[in-house]
Amino acid sequence: MAEHRGRPEEITEAYYRGLMHAVGYRKKDLDKPQIAVVNSWTDVNPGHLPLKDLSQRVKEGIWAAGGSPGEFNVPAPCDGMAQGPGQHFILPQRDLIAGSIEAMVRAHGFQGMVMLASCDKIIPGMVMAAIRLNIPTLFLTAGAMMPYRMGNRTVVTSDLKEAIGKRRTGEIDDATFEDWQEHFCASCGTCSMMGTANTMGCFLEATGLAPFGSATMLTFDSAKLRQARDVGERIVALVRERRPFGEFFTRANLENGIKYISASGGSTNAILHTLAFASLMGVDLDLAAFDRLQASVPVVAKFKPSAQYNMDDYHMAGGVRALLGTIRDWLDLSVPMATGGTLGDALRAAPRPDGVVIRPAAEPLAPNGCFGILRGNLAPLGAVVKKTGVEPSMLVHRGPAVVFDSEEDVREFMLTKEVRPGSVLVVRYEGPKGGPGMRELSIPAAMLVGMGLHTSVAMVTDGRFSGATRGPCVGHVCPEAWDGGPLAYVRDGDMIEINVPESRLSVLISDEELRDRQKSPPARPDHPAPGVLAAYRERVRGAETGAVWL
C-alpha cells in the first residue's frame, strides 16, 4: 500500500485517506509527495527546544514546493542532563531512535524525510534510520548556543563542567559557582563547543546532508528560518527526482566526513557513530581503517574545550565550508551533495582560512589527525584517545593503577580522597554491556582538569568520554571488562603505560602473569540492567564495531 502514497487515489487507499482527512488533509494534499518531518523537539534539551518553531518553517517550504508534510516526534535526551544513572539510557537511545523512525516511516509510507535534530545521539540515530530506509532525506540542526561573555573571555558549557573541579579544590567559592551555573549556558541551541553534538552536526554539512552554516550559526540567527524553508523545498525536489539517501551517503562521502571530523578536532564519539554507519551500509570499515583515514589529514582547527574558540568564532571564520576548502586536497570532490551539486562545486567559493581559527593546511596544529587509536595487552581490539586534547607532556605516561568498578566509585573517590599525581584511574565495567550503556565519564574527566590534575593523572575506561572532554583520557577499551577483557584483571598498583605517539596501551605485567590472572575471572559487579537495558546488554556489539544494538 505504501507505494501509492502521493499518487492518484486507489480503492485500497480509502482507509488511509479517510483517516488522513480526519486530521485535516485534503484530497489534493494526499496526491502530493508525502514528506515526513521527523522532529526531536523537546522542552528539556536546549539544543532541541528551537525545533518546535523551526519545523513550521520546514513545512512551509514543503507546502510551497508542492509537497505534503507530516510531522512526528522522537525522543531527544540531553547527554549533559543525563549524567550519572541517566547515562545508562543515552547510547541505547541512538538505536531506539533509529528503530522508531524506521517503523513510523515504513508504516505510513512516507516518500521523503526532513530530520530535525541537534544533539549527541539523536543525529546519529537519524542517520542510521536514513541508511535503512534509503529514501530522499535532508537534515537541519537548530544552531549553536550563544557563548557567555565573562570579562575578556567567552565561556561555554564545558567550562561549567570543569568548574566542578575548581569548586572541589576551593579555587572558586559557592557564590561564584552558583553564578556560573546560571549564566554559562546563555541561550538555547547546541553547546558552543566541539562536543559530539556539533561534531555530528558539522559532519552533516561536510557530507552535504544539511546546509552549510546550519550547525555553526547561532540558533536565533534569522538565516536559520530561511534555511528551514530552503530545506523544505529541496526535499520535495529530491523526492520528485527519485534520489534516495544512498545516492549521496556513499563510502566516499563517509570517508570525506571522517577526514573532516579529524581535521576539525572532533569528538571521540564520532568514531562509534561512523563505525555504526559503515556497519549498516555494508561498508568494510574497522578501527584500523578509521585510523588510516583520520590520520591522513592535518588538524587545522580546534575548539573548546581543546582550544579557546567556540562555534560562533568558527562560523565567523567561514565554518565547515572554509575548513573543507582548506583540506580539499585530501577529499573526494566528485561526491554529489543532497543539498545540490558536488562537493567540488560547493568548495569553489569556499572562504580562505583566516589563519587563526582555521589554519592553512601547510601550517597545521597537528600533522596526522586528532585521534589516537591505541592497542596493547590492555586493549587488544583497540582504545581511543583525542590526542589533540592532551597536554604534550602527557602523551607518554606511566603510572600506578587506581581501580574502580563504576563511574560512581571514581566520582566518590575524587570528591572525598586524595588523587595522587602520576596515577592512572582505571574505570571498568562501563562498556556497552557492563554499564550497561557505555556511559560517558565526562564529569570525572572535567574534574581532573578543574582540579589541575590533567597534567599528571590519566584515566582509562571501557566507557566513553564526551566531545567536551580534554586531557589524558583513554576510552572505548576493547574488549570490555564485562566480556572478560584484560581491563577486568588490572589490580591497584599495576603500572599502566599510555604511549600515544606509539599507539600503545599496556599493563606492565608479564604475559604469564596476565594468563595466570585470567584463570580466575573476577566476579562481575552488580550493575543492574532493568527493562530495556536487559535487551541492550544481551544484543549490543562491542565499541570496536560501533556498539550497534538494533
Side-chain angles (χ1 to χ4, degrees):
M1 184 164 64
E3 65 268 24
H4 299 301
R5 301 287 151 81
R7 299 185 188 179
E9 183 174 356
E10 302 234 351
I11 191 169
T12 55
E13 287 280 280
Y15 196 24
Y16 164 78
R17 286 173 173 262
L19 292 167
M20 288 293 280
H21 291 326
V23 292
Y25 288 82
R26 303 165 298 173
K27 183 177 184 298
K28 64 181 179 180
D29 298 331
L30 301 179
D31 293 333
K32 298 173 181 178
Q34 302 296 296
I35 310 297
V37 178
V38 186
N39 196 350
S40 52
W41 161 75
T42 170
D43 272 341
V44 290
N45 182 335
H48 291 244
L49 184 63
L51 299 177
K52 181 178 183 179
D53 296 326
L54 204 59
S55 69
Q56 303 308 310
R57 307 293 183 155
V58 171
K59 289 190 283 189
E60 289 170 6
I62 292 170
W63 285 120
S68 186
E71 183 177 356
F72 66 89
N73 292 80
V74 296
C78 173
D79 284 46
M81 295 181 186
Q83 294 299 313
Q87 266 287 329
H88 291 296
F89 295 89
I90 291 296
L91 187 58
Q93 284 198 65
R94 180 193 70 177
D95 294 53
L96 287 172
I97 289 165
S100 67
I101 295 169
E102 180 185 8
M104 182 66 176
V105 169
R106 291 198 190 281
H108 276 241
F110 289 105
Q111 298 165 287
M113 299 183 291
V114 173
M115 304 282 207
L116 292 168
S118 294
C119 290
D120 300 28
K121 307 305 171 292
I122 302 91
I123 290 174
M126 288 183 168
V127 173
M128 291 166 70
I131 292 168
R132 287 175 172 148
L133 290 163
N134 197 29
I135 61 176
T137 304
L138 290 173
F139 290 76
L140 189 64
T141 57
M145 182 183 289
M146 181 176 68
Y148 180 63
R149 311 255 173 214
M150 190 173 72
N152 60 355
R153 67 189 183 107
T154 58
V155 290
V156 299
T157 315
S158 58
D159 296 295
L160 181 58
K161 284 201 291 189
E162 293 178 5
I164 298 171
K166 295 180 187 296
R167 183 67 199 94
R168 167 72 177 87
T169 61
E171 185 177 337
I172 57 174
D173 59 20
D174 283 339
T176 301
F177 191 50
E178 290 289 333
D179 180 71
W180 288 7
Q181 282 186 68
E182 291 188 12
H183 293 101
F184 276 20
C185 301
S187 75
C188 288
T190 54
C191 299
S192 192
M193 59 190 179
M194 196 52 78
T196 310
N198 281 313
T199 296
M200 299 313 297
C202 292
F203 171 87
L204 296 176
E205 293 186 37
T207 51
L209 303 175
F212 283 122
S214 51
T216 56
M217 73 168 57
L218 294 175
T219 190
F220 44 78
D221 192 321
S222 60
K224 177 61 66 176
L225 306 180
R226 301 192 294 273
Q227 258 185 4
R229 286 199 182 97
D230 289 341
V231 166
E233 291 182 351
R234 177 64 181 164
I235 193 62
V236 176
L238 290 174
V239 169
R240 286 187 169 139
E241 294 165 11
R242 300 179 180 271
R243 303 186 72 182
F245 186 74
E247 178 181 335
F248 304 102
F249 201 59
T250 60
R251 177 175 191 132
N253 213 358
L254 176 62
E255 291 183 354
N256 278 350
I258 290 170
K259 291 175 182 178
Y260 164 78
I261 289 169
S262 183
S264 61
S267 165
T268 53
N269 282 318
I271 300 173
L272 278 180
H273 301 322
T274 53
L275 290 176
F277 301 161
S279 176
L280 296 182
M281 295 165 70
V283 168
D284 183 17
L285 182 74
D286 59 13
L287 262 179
F290 179 96
D291 193 22
R292 286 192 296 272
L293 287 168
Q294 73 86 26
S296 70
V297 295
V299 179
V300 295
K302 290 199 301 183
F303 302 95
K304 280 185 171 284
S306 297
Q308 71 267 41
Y309 305 114
N310 58 56
M311 286 300 100
D312 190 43
D313 296 323
Y314 189 22
H315 190 68
M316 297 305 292
V320 173
R321 181 151 56 176
L323 194 147
L324 288 171
T326 303
I327 62 166
R328 73 176 74 218
D329 292 345
W330 287 266
L331 303 174
D332 183 342
L333 302 180
S334 69
V335 296
M337 312 272 280
T339 49
T342 66
L343 179 59
D345 296 332
L347 297 187
R348 287 196 187 103
R352 295 181 62 81
D354 67 340
V356 178
V357 178
I358 303 173
R359 301 281 287 271
E363 302 172 19
L365 295 164
N368 55 352
C370 76
F371 302 118
I373 307 300
L374 313 184
R375 282 186 169 81
N377 67 355
L378 201 52
L381 299 181
V384 171
V385 63
K386 186 172 177 178
K387 62 186 182 185
T388 54
V390 180
E391 292 289 329
S393 63
M394 290 295 288
L395 290 171
V396 177
H397 180 74
R398 181 181 294 187
V402 185
V403 181
F404 307 91
D405 285 348
S406 72
E407 179 188 1
E408 284 76 12
D409 289 349
V410 73
R411 276 207 212 191
E412 177 68 16
F413 180 85
M414 295 178 73
L415 288 170
T416 61
K417 304 285 177 58
E418 179 187 1
V419 182
R420 294 185 178 178
S423 57
V424 177
L425 308 182
V426 175
V427 189
R428 60 194 181 188
Y429 299 108
E430 286 291 0
K433 293 180 182 178
M438 201 179 182
R439 292 191 288 181
E440 68 174 34
L441 275 64
S442 65
I443 295 295
M447 289 173 67
L448 278 182
V449 177
M451 295 165 71
L453 294 170
H454 62 295
T455 57
S456 62
V457 175
M459 191 176 294
V460 174
T461 182
D462 50 8
R464 299 182 293 115
F465 291 105
S466 167
T469 296
R470 62 185 173 113
C473 297
V474 180
H476 305 207
V477 174
C478 296
E480 62 174 295
W482 192 269
D483 276 343
L487 208 63
Y489 299 93
V490 176
R491 297 174 181 172
D492 284 335
D494 285 346
M495 294 300 290
I496 305 294
E497 182 187 43
I498 302 167
N499 190 320
V500 177
E502 296 183 10
S503 304
R504 190 167 64 248
L505 177 65
S506 303
V507 54
L508 299 182
I509 60 175
S510 68
D511 294 343
E512 182 181 10
E513 170 67 14
L514 183 56
R515 285 194 296 268
D516 285 344
R517 293 185 188 183
Q518 290 172 329
K519 291 175 184 176
S520 302
R524 291 168 171 166
D526 180 20
H527 285 190
V532 70
L533 292 181
Y536 187 80
R537 175 174 281 168
E538 181 181 349
R539 292 179 54 88
V540 69
R541 288 182 272 172
E544 76 278 4
T545 63
V548 175
W549 170 30
L550 294 177

